[in-house]
Amino acid sequence: MKKNYKDMTRKLFYVFDMVLFGLLLFSIEHTMFRENMIVDTMLDVALILRIIIPFLLYRYEKMAVWPILLFVVLFGGVIYSDVFYNTILNMGKFPSIVLSSGPDPDYGMIYSRNTTGMTLMRGIIYWIWLIPVAVYVIHFACKLTRSNDYPWYYFLGVIMFKDKAAKTFLRMAAMIGIAYLIGYEMQEHLSFVALMTLPLVGYYYWNKHIARVAHWTEYVILFAGLYIFDKAQFEVNDERIMYLAASAMVIFGVCCWMAYKSRNFLIPVLAFFMIAFLLPTLSLGYNVYKSIEGARSVNYGYVGLSNGKGYMYIKRSETINGKEIRLVGVRDRYRTTIPCEYCFVFPTKMFSPFAKCIKENRDSVIRSVEEGYILE
């Protein structure tokens, strides 16, 4: 019993470590400007090594010291470079951007320093940088390290294709990458296909990892839960919450059945997180849990920003003076930028980052599509 508890604790630790690593990757992808080839290359190599290292540590591999040292040198050089300091500043603002529900009226073209966000992101950065060294030292001090006499090149990535857990991780990472690429385009029909298929493929591989064959009815029920998730984005307010809750409950029921039949706890929990939340959200390309006051509509075009993708119209119906009218707004991947309270929202000119917003009484304002502030 004690041994099983210890093994479960180790697994949860490495899962937590990979979650933090995923948050770091997500933040870097959305905030780093690729302006230095040397730093960029060093970062790419370091991140690849950081994916391999946890599996070496989990197996108590003695030779893990070499990829750890290489990673520490490369990643340390990156995070202390002038180029990456600007990235940390942007990453510090990123949590508040993701968590905010709408445009900030005081948020202008000039970004302010976010001390809390920077502290959070610096903590994650230093965890990713130093925790492999700490874990290896603990293993070495407790004489847990061992050598399996693999060739040296196995420790630079080949071992990922030999280890059972690592191969499952690579499959999940591939599906996350596919979902991310599809979601980046935010094409409704393509996202629907990804949403309805990738989680089912993931469920198959989670069951394969624990040597279990899922019954076909489990896939049918999951399909129904994912279909409800897709329909949730076309609902508003309480209706959307109900749809999302219903979808999560259906998927949760299947994962509970998986746990009951396999007598395994950790894998069904991971499967539930990926199937109910991560893969569907990435496939859609935006946070369906935010901006619930407006339903999904067509993509917003003609945005003169560095990344024109990621903006869409949101819409809802409202009764004013006994007349039902349709109100529209604009959102990005994380929040509402232009509130859903206008009859018309359209670019001031082709490829303009500003939009003219017209209300029912014909009053109009010019707002930034990216930040939502009103031009004086």
Side-chain angles (χ1 to χ4, degrees):
M1 181 68 180
K2 185 177 180 181
K3 184 177 180 181
N4 291 338
Y5 176 78
K6 183 178 179 181
D7 187 58
M8 177 65 70
T9 303
R10 287 182 65 233
K11 290 180 179 179
L12 290 175
F13 172 81
Y14 285 111
V15 168
F16 176 74
D17 177 71
M18 294 310 294
V19 168
L20 290 185
F21 181 67
L23 291 175
L24 179 71
L25 285 178
F26 191 69
S27 298
I28 289 177
E29 179 66 24
H30 286 74
T31 56
M32 185 173 183
F33 297 99
R34 308 286 179 167
E35 56 186 21
N36 188 302
M37 182 178 296
I38 296 177
V39 173
D40 193 32
T41 303
M42 290 173 58
L43 178 62
D44 290 340
V45 175
L47 294 177
I48 293 174
L49 289 172
R50 190 56 174 82
I51 295 174
I52 301 168
I53 287 170
F55 294 97
L56 299 177
L57 292 174
Y58 183 77
R59 294 165 60 95
Y60 298 118
E61 295 288 350
K62 188 175 182 179
M63 292 295 290
V65 63
W66 300 115
I68 289 175
L69 290 177
L70 181 58
F71 163 76
V72 168
V73 172
L74 291 175
F75 196 67
V78 170
I79 64 177
Y80 281 104
S81 66
D82 293 336
V83 174
F84 200 75
Y85 180 74
N86 294 329
T87 299
I88 295 177
L89 290 177
N90 291 330
M91 290 169 68
K93 307 178 192 79
F94 193 67
S96 61
I97 293 175
V98 174
L99 296 175
S100 65
S101 58
D104 186 347
D106 299 323
Y107 194 85
M109 297 292 287
I110 306 300
Y111 292 109
S112 60
R113 182 185 296 270
N114 189 322
T115 305
T116 303
M118 285 185 64
T119 302
L120 173 63
M121 299 313 300
R122 280 187 180 277
I124 294 177
I125 288 171
Y126 280 103
W127 171 285
I128 297 301
W129 186 33
L130 299 178
I131 205 65
V133 178
V135 172
Y136 186 84
V137 169
I138 293 172
H139 285 181
F140 189 82
C142 298
K143 301 185 184 304
L144 297 173
T145 56
R146 60 176 181 262
S147 177
N148 289 322
D149 297 324
Y150 287 122
W152 64 268
Y153 53 83
Y154 269 46
F155 300 97
L156 298 179
V158 177
I159 197 171
M160 295 287 287
F161 299 92
K162 302 295 182 179
D163 183 82
K164 179 182 176 182
K167 287 192 289 186
T168 301
F169 172 82
L170 289 176
R171 293 183 181 117
M172 297 303 143
M175 282 184 287
I176 290 173
I178 294 172
Y180 177 82
L181 292 175
I182 292 176
Y184 181 80
E185 297 297 326
M186 291 181 71
Q187 205 285 327
E188 182 180 338
H189 302 294
L190 192 59
S191 291
F192 175 77
V193 173
L195 170 63
M196 302 303 297
T197 56
L198 290 178
L200 298 181
V201 175
Y203 187 72
Y204 168 80
Y205 280 117
W206 281 125
N207 280 277
K208 184 177 180 180
H209 180 75
I210 57 178
R212 175 178 180 267
V213 178
H215 194 267
W216 64 269
T217 55
E218 297 175 48
Y219 293 100
V220 173
I221 297 172
L222 284 178
F223 187 89
L226 294 169
Y227 185 78
I228 296 172
F229 187 98
D230 177 74
K231 292 306 174 186
Q233 60 183 327
F234 302 103
E235 304 295 331
V236 298
N237 299 327
D238 293 342
E239 287 80 6
R240 182 181 299 185
I241 295 175
M242 291 173 58
Y243 270 71
L244 292 173
S247 172
M249 289 175 62
V250 170
I251 297 172
F252 181 74
V254 175
C255 292
C256 285
W257 180 254
M258 175 186 178
Y260 171 75
K261 298 297 289 186
S262 65
R263 298 296 190 270
N264 187 300
F265 172 75
L266 181 60
I267 296 301
V269 169
L270 294 176
F272 172 70
F273 174 75
M274 286 195 64
I275 296 171
F277 304 106
L278 183 59
L279 287 175
T281 300
L282 289 177
S283 297
L284 293 181
Y286 71 98
N287 187 353
V288 71
Y289 302 95
K290 288 288 186 179
S291 303
I292 63 173
E293 74 279 3
R296 176 173 186 163
S297 187
V298 297
N299 289 354
Y300 182 91
Y302 310 120
V303 181
L305 306 171
S306 58
N307 174 18
K309 298 183 178 67
Y311 293 87
M312 68 167 65
Y313 284 107
I314 53 177
K315 62 182 180 180
R316 64 186 174 91
S317 297
E318 188 171 299
T319 302
I320 299 178
N321 297 327
K323 178 183 178 182
E324 184 175 339
I325 62 172
R326 189 193 71 164
L327 300 177
V328 298
V330 176
R331 65 161 296 164
D332 63 13
R333 298 185 189 277
Y334 313 107
R335 60 188 173 128
T336 299
T337 57
I338 298 179
C340 193
E341 57 187 36
Y342 299 98
C343 291
F344 301 98
V345 176
F346 52 86
T348 54
K349 60 182 179 179
M350 189 71 74
F351 302 115
S352 172
F354 302 104
K356 186 173 184 179
C357 309
I358 304 175
K359 290 190 173 183
E360 172 71 9
N361 60 6
R362 299 303 175 182
D363 289 343
S364 65
V365 295
I366 304 297
R367 305 189 72 135
S368 165
V369 177
E370 185 176 17
E371 306 302 342
Y373 57 81
I374 299 175
L375 295 181
E376 299 294 340

